[in-house]
Amino acid sequence: MLPTSSPQIHQNGSLNTRDAARHTAGSKRYKYLRRLLHFRQMDFEFAIWQMFYLFTSPQKVYRNFQYRKQTKDQWARDDPAFLVLLSIWLCVSTVGFGLVLEMGFVETLKLLLWVVFIDCIGVGLLISTLMWFVTNKYLQKHPSRDYDVEWAYAFDVHLNAFYPLLVILHFLQLFFINHVVVINADWFLGYFVGNTLWLVAISYYIYITFLGYNALPFLKNTVVLLYPFAVLGLLYVLSISLGWNFTKGLCWFYKHRVQ
């Protein structure tokens, strides 16, 4: 639903006192958390649309972020539906990992808690904070308080990039660990397929992260966010040449962390 009114802006480009109070980080956070408790207010259909296009055409997702900035004066999501669906994906795929690795109920529960609170939330907070600091410190065209990367937007960029990685490594990969190719084994086809899945998943993460910050008109030199592709390509070639099996390492790590 489109907003019926827009914030009033003075000639110098600043919001008036009333609108400024409504657009503070605390106010936006309060509205977001409040909607998290009301499922009927969440637009799950649109969140599913975003998840689909993050695989097929992630540029369309960020065009919608630009539209939100124009209509609601914020870059970050104001609807937690995407986060809720991502959490469901995370829980279901982690339980699937527990079944594939033949873990018991308690071990699977430990793995689920670790993946949710450490791998997703903890690492997500760390990466988002790092990117928020780097982009505001080094990539702004004209440093100003009026134009800065919202921390909530940095976290949204991480969630967008994390979703394809989650589906590939935590869902699609499950069908290959003990079946089809058996990538959890020390043979060429196994680690070739497994490491290729890792390559595709991390490539999605890097590219979608780049698109997220490249969509902000007040940032410069965002192409540097694509530089990790060189390191990723080198690691992939080395892993195939030396027989490193990333999936086997992940399975060992998952089992070790719940013991």
Side-chain angles (χ1 to χ4, degrees), residues 5 12 19 38-39 42 45 94 101 114 119 131 135 151 174 213 219 231 235 258:
S5 62
N12 60 4
D19 287 325
H38 299 82
F39 273 69
M42 299 185 200
E45 182 178 355
T94 302
L101 299 181
W114 185 287
D119 292 351
M131 293 302 299
T135 52
W151 185 92
L174 291 178
Y213 293 103
L219 295 184
V231 178
L235 286 176
V258 299

Side-chain angles (χ1 to χ4, degrees), residues 27-42:
S27 175
K28 294 174 183 178
R29 182 167 57 248
Y30 171 75
K31 292 178 181 178
Y32 185 89
L33 294 176
R34 185 179 60 183
R35 294 191 66 179
L36 190 59
L37 301 176
H38 299 82
F39 273 69
R40 293 183 179 180
Q41 296 182 7
M42 299 185 200

Side-chain angles (χ1 to χ4, degrees), residues 197-240:
L197 288 175
W198 279 81
L199 174 68
V200 174
I202 299 177
S203 295
Y204 260 112
Y205 187 92
I206 295 174
Y207 180 61
I208 293 177
T209 298
F210 159 74
L211 289 178
Y213 293 103
N214 190 57
L216 301 180
F218 52 86
L219 295 184
K220 62 180 180 180
N221 301 327
T222 52
V223 69
V224 299
L225 300 178
L226 295 177
Y227 289 176
F229 270 121
V231 178
L232 180 63
L234 178 61
L235 286 176
Y236 176 73
V237 173
L238 285 176
S239 68
I240 299 300

Side-chain angles (χ1 to χ4, degrees), residues 27-252:
S27 175
K28 294 174 183 178
R29 182 167 57 248
Y30 171 75
K31 292 178 181 178
Y32 185 89
L33 294 176
R34 185 179 60 183
R35 294 191 66 179
L36 190 59
L37 301 176
H38 299 82
F39 273 69
R40 293 183 179 180
Q41 296 182 7
M42 299 185 200
D43 190 349
F44 289 105
E45 182 178 355
F46 181 63
I48 293 174
W49 176 90
Q50 290 181 315
M51 288 181 166
F52 173 77
Y53 278 103
L54 282 173
F55 274 103
T56 60
S57 182
Q59 298 91 336
K60 291 185 178 180
V61 176
Y62 286 114
R63 280 200 291 269
N64 175 264
F65 276 73
Q66 293 174 333
Y67 176 74
R68 183 183 299 109
K69 177 62 177 177
Q70 295 172 355
T71 58
K72 300 184 178 181
D73 193 39
Q74 70 179 67
W75 289 97
R77 289 187 177 94
D78 59 344
D79 185 350
F82 185 92
L83 178 61
V84 172
L85 292 181
L86 180 64
S87 300
I88 294 174
W89 263 103
L90 189 61
C91 292
V92 171
S93 61
T94 302
V95 171
F97 246 103
L99 294 174
V100 169
L101 299 181
E102 299 179 346
M103 295 180 179
F105 174 78
V106 175
E107 292 178 330
T108 302
L109 181 59
K110 289 181 180 179
L111 178 64
L112 178 61
L113 293 175
W114 185 287
V115 169
V116 171
F117 291 102
I118 303 299
D119 292 351
C120 182
I121 298 178
V123 174
L125 293 176
L126 180 63
I127 293 177
S128 301
T129 302
L130 177 63
M131 293 302 299
W132 169 78
F133 173 79
V134 170
T135 52
N136 282 319
K137 182 71 174 180
Y138 301 105
L139 299 184
Q140 283 207 44
K141 293 180 180 178
H142 306 288
S144 170
R145 292 183 180 180
D146 296 329
Y147 298 97
D148 63 347
V149 179
E150 303 169 5
W151 185 92
Y153 180 77
F155 189 66
D156 275 340
V157 171
H158 166 73
L159 294 181
N160 289 342
F162 182 76
Y163 172 68
L165 183 147
L166 171 68
V167 173
I168 294 172
L169 297 184
H170 254 235
F171 180 72
L172 294 180
Q173 190 171 221
L174 291 178
F175 298 97
F176 295 91
I177 290 180
N178 294 326
H179 304 284
V180 186
V181 179
V182 189
I183 58 180
N184 187 24
D186 293 324
W187 65 312
F188 175 77
L189 185 59
Y191 58 74
F192 173 76
V193 173
N195 292 2
T196 300
L197 288 175
W198 279 81
L199 174 68
V200 174
I202 299 177
S203 295
Y204 260 112
Y205 187 92
I206 295 174
Y207 180 61
I208 293 177
T209 298
F210 159 74
L211 289 178
Y213 293 103
N214 190 57
L216 301 180
F218 52 86
L219 295 184
K220 62 180 180 180
N221 301 327
T222 52
V223 69
V224 299
L225 300 178
L226 295 177
Y227 289 176
F229 270 121
V231 178
L232 180 63
L234 178 61
L235 286 176
Y236 176 73
V237 173
L238 285 176
S239 68
I240 299 300
S241 302
L242 301 177
W244 298 342
N245 192 325
F246 296 143
T247 301
K248 183 177 181 180
L250 178 66
C251 292
W252 175 88

